[in-house]
Amino acid sequence: GAAGKNGLDQVSTLPSYSGMKLWLKADAGVVKDASGKVSSWLDQSGNGNNVSQATNVNQPTWQNSIVNGRPVIHLNGSNQILTGVTTDAFKPANITVMAVYRMTGTGTYPRIITQPYRDGSAGWITPWATWLLTAGRNNATNPDFWINSSNGNASTSSSTATQGSFAILSCSYDGNNNKLYLNGQLQATTSTTGPLSYGPAGTFYVGGSPSVEYLNGDIAEIFIYDRALSDLERQAVEAYVAAKYALPLVQSAPVITTQPESISTTTGQSATFTVVATGMPTPTYQWQKSGVAISGATNATFTIPVVVAGDAGTYSVVVTNAAGVVTSANADLLIDVPPNITTQPVSTVVGTGQSASFTVGATGAPTLTYQWHKNGISISGATNSTFTIPVAANVDAAAYSVVVA
């Protein structure tokens, strides 16, 4: 993509990652009347997880040109809500929920999107939800992500208020940790274990819960995945919406999460070094050999298609973005050269009581090993390039040879 005015990576299309279950966006799939009242909001993920509202007074309003010239779904905070059907395919064990939203008024739990545990009045018996993304909690304006797993619940809140401004909210649960990011920056992590725990509720809601906890504000886009996205995947989706809605992302210096590893290979084979790093904006890469930049080696993966002897050496990669720079650990390329005997051992004649030595000269890589034999039988401890009999006796008379590997 091209660089946008916030200096971060700008992408024109949503990256395609596995596990998407819901994609609602106000610029597609909105069924509305002439006044903008929304009766249906159609899922763009291809899974048919549409949301709708048949009652006119409870229908939110589609409003055009609200954020970076793009539309939103506006909810009044008192009685407007959209409802979807919770199918078995919409019950992931782990989850990522992301939203572009603006909160314009407070509420007890102004819900952006939620999956209740139970339907109706029974929904207020703990646990009241399987997962719940709110724009605030207890009349605050700090977003919160609440999940209920098989081993308990965990609530993660942002320390940053968002009322009045559009924000990018990214939340995930991976079976161990519940994380909440605001505008690309990690706000908090809480822990519980086990898969998400679902109750008998057959519906999910956008913009509130029945009769209570409505969102007073706007929703531009919502994503749900049936797994916790990796940091790189999450950042790519955040970069997409940041570009689309001209929203700022908090910059973070690169962090290498997987270092390149040393490789041992032979000439004629290929060799590939890989690094995994996070950071916002997305980092750039420059591979080096012995500290010298390699021309064109500017991806997270560096491949030598056909290894030659001169490629042996120490490799590293410098990872950079606007917030900082970090250099990886060194990784060696070791080229295996088959053993080649350059000097054969020579027969020797000595008298009893004298010493006798046999020596072999050989080249090869990695470091060669040696095993001397007497009449074809390995000699214990004779594992150097030179084998010496300190005091020869008649029984030592024999044929000696060495295996070099």
Side-chain angles (χ1 to χ4, degrees), residues 7 27 33 54 59 70 96 113 121 155 166 176 206 208 216 227 238 248 296 302 316 323 350 363 367 389:
D27 56 359
D33 64 16
Q59 292 174 347
R70 297 182 181 274
T96 297
I113 185 168
S121 60
S155 177
F166 278 94
N176 292 287
V206 172
N216 185 348
R227 60 187 180 89
E238 290 169 342
F302 169 57
S316 60
V350 299
T363 59
T367 302
I389 303 171

Side-chain angles (χ1 to χ4, degrees), residues 358-362 367-373 379-388 401-404:
F358 300 97
T359 298
V360 67
T367 302
L368 299 174
T369 61
Y370 304 86
Q371 178 59 64
W372 289 90
H373 294 78
I379 304 170
S380 177
T383 56
N384 296 314
S385 59
T386 296
F387 168 58
T388 298
S401 60
V402 61
V403 174
V404 184

Side-chain angles (χ1 to χ4, degrees), residues 6-9 181-186 231-232 234-235 238 248-256 277-284 319-326:
N6 60 11
L8 301 178
D9 288 359
Y181 296 81
L182 184 63
N183 296 327
Q185 184 177 49
L186 179 64
D231 285 339
L232 289 176
R234 172 185 54 78
Q235 289 174 343
E238 290 169 342
L249 288 173
V250 178
Q251 294 188 352
S252 59
V255 174
I256 294 176
T278 61
M280 182 60 67
T282 302
T284 61
V319 186
T320 307
N321 70 7
V325 58
V326 63

